[in-house]
Amino acid sequence: RRQVLEASQQLTEIISSCLGSEPGAESPDPSPDTDPGAEEDPESHCLWVDKFTPRRYMELLSDDYTNRCLLKWLKLWDTVVFGKDKAVKKPKAGAAAQPPSGHAKEQPSKWKSKVQLTEEMLDAELDQHKRPKHKVALLCGPPGLGKTTLAHVIARHAGYNAVEMNASDDRSPEVFRTRIEAATQMRSVLGSHERPNCLIIDEIDGAPAASIQVLLGIIQRKDGEGEAGTGRRRREAGLLLRPIICV
């Protein structure tokens, strides 16, 4: 233990001498009027995971296929959120012009790959309220994979204001319901150009079963349900018109 302390003291002296020998390291004494804490760079106290976190879509290091699928799903909400028409996918001219050459190509394969299933799901028609068929996206994987960062970057890239809540913190189903409805139904009063919200629910696996049932009830809510009532019953009858990403 004594040897470790002596070695650490020697390293400290060496580092101090190296820093003191750098050009420009010695600066004149600051005037008593200036505050030394005010001139410090705020980024010097920032964690590396926050300082170097991706800010744009092209800076993401996660799986490119996952990034594109999540962005494509989020763009399906453009019709109901931004009033944009869904882009129609044009068929390939070469595929339609060439007839099938063999018997194997005439009968499609019984099993479909994950890519084919995902493309079919994302190319599905919108419902009667111009919403995508699947109202919630689920990102799963080991810790440190970048799931929450991906959700925030994709939401900003698609034109949304990312609103994050932690499902494991709100143990009460009523609080859970209130926070979801506040993020998905309330309109901004800060200005007409304020971005719409995209709700990101982190640690959804830590939420109690009652909160999951509340989330399912909001997703499966139908138009006009409970309009005859007043107060709380009528407030809960609003349709889900904003995307939700669960992590």
Side-chain angles (χ1 to χ4, degrees):
R1 183 177 179 182
R2 184 177 180 182
Q3 294 177 352
V4 173
L5 291 176
E6 292 177 355
S8 62
Q9 291 177 359
Q10 292 178 0
L11 287 174
T12 304
E13 294 175 357
I14 294 173
I15 293 174
S16 301
S17 61
C18 292
L19 292 177
S21 61
E22 290 182 357
E26 297 182 359
S27 58
D29 295 337
S31 60
D33 299 335
T34 59
D35 184 9
E39 298 179 359
E40 294 182 356
D41 188 6
E43 292 188 358
S44 61
H45 302 286
C46 183
L47 296 176
W48 279 20
V49 292
D50 297 329
K51 183 178 181 180
F52 298 102
T53 186
R55 308 291 179 185
R56 297 176 295 178
Y57 181 84
M58 298 304 296
E59 297 176 356
L60 291 172
L61 298 180
S62 48
D63 179 57
D64 185 62
Y65 175 73
T66 304
N67 302 347
R68 288 186 288 107
C69 286
L70 182 61
L71 179 60
K72 188 173 182 180
W73 172 82
L74 201 55
K75 296 298 289 183
L76 292 176
W77 287 88
D78 285 1
T79 304
V80 66
V81 176
F82 298 102
K84 299 179 181 179
D85 295 333
K86 181 184 176 183
V88 180
K89 188 176 182 180
K90 298 181 180 180
K92 296 181 180 180
Q98 297 178 358
S101 58
H103 181 70
K105 293 184 179 180
E106 294 179 0
Q107 295 181 355
S109 176
K110 182 180 179 181
W111 309 105
K112 296 181 180 180
S113 64
K114 182 184 72 172
V115 177
Q116 292 175 336
L117 292 174
T118 308
E119 291 294 334
E120 290 181 2
M121 178 189 69
L122 295 176
D123 289 334
E125 295 294 330
L126 304 179
D127 62 5
Q128 58 179 343
H129 304 290
K130 299 181 179 180
R131 303 178 300 173
K133 179 181 178 181
H134 300 276
K135 311 299 184 298
V136 173
L138 177 63
L139 296 176
C140 58
L145 196 63
K147 303 181 294 295
T148 305
T149 301
L150 171 63
H152 279 269
V153 172
I154 291 292
R156 290 195 300 266
H157 184 75
Y160 289 90
N161 173 42
V163 178
E164 182 179 349
M165 62 175 289
N166 197 306
S168 60
D169 293 343
D170 302 320
R171 310 298 296 182
S172 171
E174 291 301 324
V175 176
F176 191 75
R177 179 195 302 275
T178 302
R179 296 198 62 182
I180 292 180
E181 292 181 347
T184 57
Q185 295 183 10
M186 296 240 177
R187 296 182 179 179
S188 175
V189 296
L190 299 179
S192 58
H193 301 289
E194 188 71 16
R195 291 185 170 191
N197 292 334
C198 174
L199 179 60
I200 301 173
I201 306 179
D202 203 359
E203 297 185 12
I204 191 67
D205 53 334
S211 298
I212 300 299
Q213 292 300 323
V214 168
L215 178 61
L216 292 176
I218 294 175
I219 296 171
Q220 300 170 357
R221 191 176 292 165
K222 297 181 180 179
D223 189 18
E225 182 180 313
E227 283 188 355
T230 57
R232 175 182 168 189
R233 187 180 178 186
R234 186 166 186 174
R235 176 174 59 85
E236 294 178 355
L239 281 171
L240 178 64
L241 300 177
R242 294 293 182 269
I244 297 178
I245 302 176
C246 295
V247 181

